[in-house]
Amino acid sequence: MSLMPEPLRDPVPMLEKALADWGGREDLWIFGYGSLIWNPEFAFAERRPARVLGWHRALKMWSRVNRGTPENPGLVFGLLPGGSCQGVVFRIPREAGSEVLTALWGREMPTGVYDPRWLSCRTPGGTVTGLAFTLSKKSPNHTGVLTEEQYRRIFSVASGRYGTTLDYAARTLEELRRHNIRDRHLERLLKLIE
């Protein structure tokens, strides 16, 4: 029996669309707001601090494989509508873009849960268009509102193939701080388990 949940949507046509939208004529930019910041798993030519408007980072996506199980779901970050989000944008040389995007799809999109979008990423070197993995509030993987007690429980028990939800959240906060990015909401959540 496979540990991987059934795909919500077929990720293959979504990858094909992303590749077509990018076009392969210029370098590829990827916006990271969670674990991509501290564990991109791809080579890049450049990394810049970046801000996207109209979206915010939220620990509100169920993870039943990577950071939890079907019995004890964990959480991972999603990029949800509203506000703004500071993260980093990675530049992948054009000739490696297709290979990197395909590998990244295997990591981020095995069940087709995210809505990949090309967003304007404001950087100190100018605005670039980067691919970001956003989450619809209508997705069955969106948690909705969680209580402090639910977060405490998830932080104490949820663990999956890549480790615990708590480690994932703590490492993300540590890396955000290293990049001089303040995430007060994540700081408050992690104080719940002190």
Side-chain angles (χ1 to χ4, degrees):
M1 186 168 103
S2 169
L3 287 175
M4 190 64 65
E6 284 296 312
L8 298 173
R9 297 176 288 189
D10 185 352
V12 174
M14 297 170 82
L15 171 60
E16 290 168 355
K17 181 176 183 335
L19 287 166
D21 289 346
W22 166 53
R25 290 175 295 282
E26 298 176 353
D27 290 348
L28 173 68
W29 292 90
I30 303 287
F31 179 68
Y33 57 88
S35 63
L36 283 180
I37 297 174
W38 49 267
N39 187 25
E41 294 184 341
F42 54 77
F44 52 89
E46 183 183 2
R47 173 175 46 200
R48 297 182 195 171
R51 176 187 291 277
V52 296
L53 301 178
W55 299 90
H56 67 281
R57 174 181 29 254
L59 195 59
K60 288 187 168 284
M61 184 168 134
W62 292 118
S63 174
R64 294 174 179 88
V65 176
N66 292 348
R67 297 289 170 174
T69 63
E71 301 75 32
N72 281 306
L75 297 172
V76 291
F77 290 102
L79 202 57
L80 292 170
S84 69
C85 180
Q86 282 186 271
V88 297
V89 69
F90 299 94
R91 180 172 63 83
I92 292 101
R94 181 187 58 76
E95 57 275 7
S98 180
E99 181 183 339
V100 166
L101 195 53
T102 300
L104 189 58
W105 227 254
R107 167 182 161 164
E108 301 293 333
M109 290 288 288
T111 63
V113 64
Y114 287 111
D115 295 324
R117 294 180 193 272
W118 297 94
L119 302 179
S120 289
C121 304
R122 298 177 177 192
T123 82
T127 299
V128 299
T129 300
L131 183 72
F133 292 99
T134 70
L135 180 66
S136 168
K137 289 184 178 179
K138 294 177 182 173
S139 168
N141 281 30
H142 179 252
T143 65
V145 175
L146 295 175
T147 65
E148 289 185 357
E149 192 48 50
Q150 287 173 303
Y151 275 110
R152 273 192 206 95
R153 183 186 172 286
I154 292 165
F155 284 148
S156 66
V157 302
S159 184
R161 71 176 174 182
Y162 292 142
T164 67
T165 293
L166 179 57
D167 178 62
Y168 168 85
R171 287 194 63 190
T172 300
L173 182 60
E174 180 183 308
E175 194 67 7
L176 290 172
R177 286 175 170 162
R178 200 171 75 74
H179 288 276
N180 296 313
I181 299 169
R182 185 93 194 259
D183 188 321
R184 288 179 176 86
H185 183 70
L186 181 54
E187 289 171 5
R188 279 194 304 272
L189 288 179
L190 287 170
K191 280 193 168 86
L192 296 174
I193 48 90
E194 289 178 355

